[in-house]
Structures are given as C-alpha cells and as structure tokens.
Amino acid sequence: MHEPLVLTEKVDERYHYGSISKHIAKFQIGQVVRHRVFAFRGVIFDVDPQFANTDEWYESIPEEVRPSKDQPFYHLFAENDRTHYIAYVSEQNLLADDSDLPLSHPDIPEWFDLTGRGTYELKKHSTN
C-alpha cells in the first residue's frame, strides 16, 4: 500500500495551479458596462478569470494606471461617440451601465439577441 501524498508546505497563492483561477467575475456575458475613466461603454462577450493578453499589450499601458493582472478581464463590443471597437478591460476599470441606452456596435446582432427587458442574451450558436 502506498503512503498518501501530504502537502508539507503552504500553497503559494501567487501561482494558479492547474490553470484554475480563484477569481469570480463581477460582471457577466451580455451585461452592458462602462469604463470607470474613459468615455466608452459596451457589452461583454467573453471573460478571462485573470489577464490573458500579451505582455506587449500590458506593457503599453502607462505604469501609473496599469491594472493588476490578477483579476478578471473582459472582452467588450465597445463604442464611444466616434467609433466601434473591441476592448479588453480589467474588472477594476468597469462599472455596470444602467442607462438603458441601446448599443450600436455592428457585431452585437451576430452574437446577441436583445430581449424585451432591454438586456442582451447570447445566441445559442455563439457559445463555445
């Protein structure tokens, strides 16, 4: 009979063993959010439990406003007064948008249905 494996040292929480994150996302897919600082809003279409973009992208953010990588990051169909684009935003920089103003990003109809309540519901074929 084999002896059981026993953990002899404290787990280092800086590492995500087995790629399982301890983070719980505050926002959900289909939710409309706005940026805390910059004048844009959008609908969430994907969530990373922690930073999952390139180091180059991360380093391009000025250090004084660079968010921690150790938090959920959200993919948004984003828009402002001038244009539509895809944004990648840390949880700390997002707020729920309760304005009820419709979004006009051209990719939204392909991914979401607008419900009678004014919310966005992910279409079945958009799930992975």
Side-chain angles (χ1 to χ4, degrees):
M1 184 174 258
H2 298 283
E3 289 192 34
L5 294 175
V6 178
L7 185 62
T8 58
E9 296 181 26
K10 186 176 185 305
V11 172
D12 188 341
E13 292 192 11
R14 293 176 300 172
Y15 298 100
H16 300 280
Y17 300 95
S19 298
I20 297 174
S21 175
K22 64 182 186 242
H23 300 291
I24 297 173
K26 178 179 177 182
F27 304 108
Q28 62 188 7
I29 292 174
Q31 186 171 358
V32 178
V33 292
R34 62 184 172 87
H35 196 279
R36 183 179 297 276
V37 177
F38 301 110
F40 72 84
R41 54 197 289 268
V43 63
I44 297 169
F45 69 89
D46 197 10
V47 182
D48 295 332
Q50 61 199 24
F51 181 80
N53 207 331
T54 64
D55 288 335
E56 180 180 89
W57 183 91
Y58 187 74
E59 296 295 327
S60 72
I61 301 170
E63 194 170 348
E64 63 274 6
V65 294
R66 191 177 299 153
S68 164
K69 289 183 177 183
D70 195 27
Q71 63 180 306
F73 276 73
Y74 299 83
H75 301 261
L76 310 177
F77 291 129
E79 59 190 59
N80 59 29
D81 292 341
R82 296 180 306 256
T83 189
H84 300 101
Y85 53 98
I86 291 179
Y88 190 64
V89 186
S90 64
E91 187 169 271
Q92 75 186 54
N93 284 319
L94 290 177
L95 299 168
D97 184 316
D98 298 324
S99 68
D100 293 330
L101 296 172
L103 292 166
S104 61
H105 193 290
D107 291 332
I108 291 174
E110 184 178 330
W111 285 63
F112 294 97
D113 288 320
L114 185 60
T115 69
R117 300 180 315 276
T119 59
Y120 293 90
E121 183 176 280
L122 194 61
K123 291 183 176 183
K124 300 284 187 245
H125 69 78
S126 298
T127 59
N128 52 5

